[in-house]
Amino acid sequence: KVLSIQTKSKKTLARPNVKNIVLVEGVRTPFLLSGTTYSDLMPHDLARAALQGLLHRTAIPKDVVDYIIYGTVIQEVKTSNVAREAALGAGFSDKIPSHTVTMACISSNQAMTSAVGLIAAGQCDAVVAGGVEFMSDVPIRHSRKMRKTMLSLNKAKTLGQRLSLLGSIRLAHLSPELPAVAEFSTSETMGHSADRLAAAFGVSRVEQDEFALRSHSLAKKAQDAGLLQDVISFKVPGRDIVSQDNGIRPSSMEQMAKLKPAFIKPHGTVTAANSSFLTDGASAVLIMSEEKALAMGYKPKAYLRDFVYVSQDPKDQLLLGPTYGTPKVLERAGLTMSDIDVFEFHEAFAGQIMANLKAMDSDWFAQTYMGRKSKVGTPPMDKFNLWGGSLSLGHPFGATGCRLVTTVAHRLQKEGGQYGLVAACAAGGQVSDTHVQHSLVVPAMIAFCTYAKHLYEL
């Protein structure tokens, strides 16, 4: 019924002699604030739940899947290949190869585009891609000197050697190394970079708080209306059944204004209220060749048409990926901003989103930094992140990409659109962009592009 309301007639992005690749289904666990209901689990538990939810939603025979790929950022050392452990736990055949990728906040984007590549190359017909992040329990290491001493102790052959090594331990050696969301190359935290970026583009604290409030308000509206249909219920062992995200908290501008800067003090503008929060969660999507999907009786949600990855300077352009990636993926598809019906951008920080929107609307920036004749233009806000975003729904680093892609497909169907674009920035100055197309025969098409965006055509 959604397709019947489509009135615009747009071209298809199908290419001669190129296999059509489709998104059949996408699911995710509820995204929860770290340290809440999922706190006693492990990452593979969440990934397994997402995989089982996908199996239940699609009823696909487990032996039909040819390959499984998962993305994650902060790895649990016991399950370094979390894709494999989750797949085995979910009941997939041990004959199905599985591997794990990492590319910061676009790790599951990389998982999906890797799946697209396997299918396009004729290696596979059905691939499950997904992502997981578990911030409730992250690896905390001993100091380097303490680690060296412990390894030497393990090799010591005599009591004297052991006593000598134990005697060399100093109190300072016991200080742990805590993980940080910081760039290795610059030692700068992402929040600090977001604050600098907002200042560089003249994004005010009020603008950031207004956008964050918009995200939470739209997410609450979508949640109450039952639009977040990718969320599956999950019975947490020993605890309650979780069925919805718990980070959606619409506030007021007055309450948000009371918060102090989180990174650059005392004059910074990035706060806890206008930043995405540490989140636990997992996602999974089923990607197939159109021929295989139709032969099995599936009605795909979208076509995955194209993707672009771009990288920038991790110091001054860390979070500007969408600005650089969007025009590239549009050019590849032969489209303009006005052709896109649905935009879904990853919201790392409200300041990051606002800075990108200002950069995309600047001829000077396009000419000076991008070598382009003119700006690409900004997405209309009545098409932009209408069901909330990472600021409100949560951002499990490795899982967000699949959420973005699935949301674009669902919005295209709900709103009767044809083309969608996804963009996500990531640590290291990278970006993914995807393009999706909605078709009158098959519900939708999607394409991906990193440090940048995803352009979806439905």
Side-chain angles (χ1 to χ4, degrees):
K1 64 183 172 106
V2 173
L3 298 180
S4 65
I5 68 172
Q6 183 172 334
T7 58
K8 290 181 290 185
S9 178
K10 296 182 179 178
K11 70 174 183 179
T12 177
L13 298 188
R15 297 169 183 165
N17 303 317
V18 175
K19 188 179 298 186
N20 281 335
I21 299 171
V22 297
L23 173 72
V24 175
E25 185 59 87
V27 302
R28 64 181 176 90
T29 68
F31 287 176
L32 302 189
L33 289 155
S34 295
T36 57
T37 309
Y38 293 153
S39 60
D40 294 328
L41 301 179
M42 290 180 65
H44 74 282
D45 294 319
L46 292 176
R48 178 181 65 227
L51 289 174
Q52 290 173 331
L54 188 66
L55 285 171
H56 178 73
R57 187 76 65 89
T58 62
I60 189 169
K62 296 174 184 176
D63 58 353
V64 169
V65 175
D66 299 310
Y67 208 102
I68 298 171
I69 310 171
Y70 251 71
T72 195
V73 180
I74 300 180
Q75 295 188 350
E76 162 61 54
V77 294
K78 293 180 179 178
T79 57
S80 58
N81 187 2
V82 69
R84 178 64 169 171
E85 305 307 331
L88 293 174
F92 283 94
S93 168
D94 58 11
K95 303 296 189 293
I96 300 174
S98 308
H99 80 266
T100 300
V101 298
T102 187
M103 201 171 183
C105 300
I106 51 175
S107 293
S108 61
N109 304 48
Q110 182 58 247
M112 289 184 287
T113 57
S114 296
V116 169
L118 286 171
I119 296 172
Q123 291 286 323
C124 302
D125 281 317
V127 180
V128 170
V132 62
E133 208 64 46
F134 189 68
M135 300 300 293
S136 289
D137 181 27
V138 297
I140 298 175
R141 303 200 303 180
H142 284 290
S143 67
R144 184 69 177 265
K145 290 183 178 179
M146 190 63 184
R147 297 200 306 271
K148 291 177 69 175
T149 301
M150 294 171 72
L151 289 171
S152 297
L153 272 170
N154 192 48
K155 298 176 183 177
K157 294 180 176 159
T158 67
L159 178 60
Q161 289 175 331
R162 294 189 184 96
L163 290 175
S164 176
L165 286 166
L166 289 171
S168 70
I169 297 175
R170 299 292 179 265
L171 188 61
H173 296 178
L174 302 178
S175 298
E177 289 183 1
L178 302 176
V181 185
E183 287 296 305
F184 181 80
S185 60
T186 65
S187 298
E188 184 178 40
T189 65
M190 190 171 285
H192 193 284
S193 180
D195 218 328
R196 287 197 303 108
L197 183 68
F201 281 88
V203 181
S204 70
R205 167 75 180 268
V206 170
E207 286 180 289
Q208 294 176 60
D209 286 353
E210 285 177 343
F211 184 85
L213 181 58
R214 173 188 186 269
S215 180
H216 280 272
S217 300
L218 290 174
K220 179 62 175 173
K221 183 178 179 181
Q223 187 180 67
D224 291 345
L227 298 177
L228 307 181
Q229 55 188 295
D230 55 334
V231 180
I232 59 171
S233 295
F234 174 35
K235 174 64 175 72
V236 180
R239 306 187 74 164
D240 298 332
I241 295 176
V242 180
S243 58
Q244 63 180 20
D245 308 320
N246 72 355
I248 303 173
R249 300 177 179 180
S251 181
S252 67
M253 290 295 290
E254 293 73 25
Q255 287 297 112
M256 296 170 74
K258 295 178 181 179
L259 294 182
K260 295 181 179 180
F263 300 99
I264 298 180
K265 304 173 183 179
H267 304 300
T269 57
V270 174
T271 70
N274 57 42
S275 307
S276 56
F277 48 87
L278 296 181
T279 314
D280 300 335
S283 56
V285 298
L286 175 60
I287 298 173
M288 302 178 73
S289 65
E290 182 184 29
E291 182 180 11
K292 180 74 170 181
L294 296 180
M296 294 188 65
Y298 289 117
K299 186 179 181 182
K301 291 180 179 292
Y303 291 97
L304 305 180
R305 286 304 190 190
D306 211 339
F307 59 88
V308 175
Y309 289 93
V310 303
S311 293
Q312 307 303 137
D313 171 21
K315 180 172 177 61
D316 294 322
Q317 298 178 322
L318 177 67
L319 301 170
L320 281 176
T323 300
Y324 284 86
T326 296
K328 288 189 175 183
V329 78
L330 288 173
E331 287 172 357
R332 284 179 62 91
L335 301 174
T336 65
M337 290 289 278
S338 61
D339 292 316
I340 306 302
D341 303 300
V342 168
F343 293 89
E344 285 290 332
F345 282 24
H346 164 47
E347 302 169 351
F349 303 90
Q352 159 254 329
I353 288 288
M354 300 306 295
N356 271 280
L357 294 181
K358 292 192 177 190
M360 294 170 75
D361 198 35
S362 169
D363 283 321
W364 177 84
F365 187 88
Q367 294 161 4
T368 305
Y369 289 97
M370 300 173 64
R372 305 184 66 85
K373 294 181 179 179
S374 61
K375 63 187 180 184
V376 65
T378 56
M381 295 309 288
D382 60 356
K383 298 180 179 181
F384 188 86
N385 290 16
L386 294 188
W387 294 355
S390 298
L391 289 173
S392 49
L393 300 172
H395 174 39
F397 302 146
T400 289
C402 290
R403 176 191 68 77
L404 291 168
V405 168
T406 304
T407 298
V408 164
H410 287 164
R411 279 190 56 201
L412 283 170
Q413 291 180 321
K414 177 72 174 176
E415 299 167 22
Q418 186 174 8
Y419 298 111
L421 176 69
V422 170
C425 59
Q430 302 186 95
V431 171
S432 170
D433 279 280
T434 303
H435 175 253
V436 181
Q437 178 180 0
H438 187 261
S439 144
L440 291 176
V441 178
V442 182
M445 298 184 177
I446 300 177
F448 313 79
C449 160
T450 300
Y451 181 78
K453 333 172 171 182
H454 292 277
L455 175 62
Y456 298 88
E457 175 192 355
L458 279 173

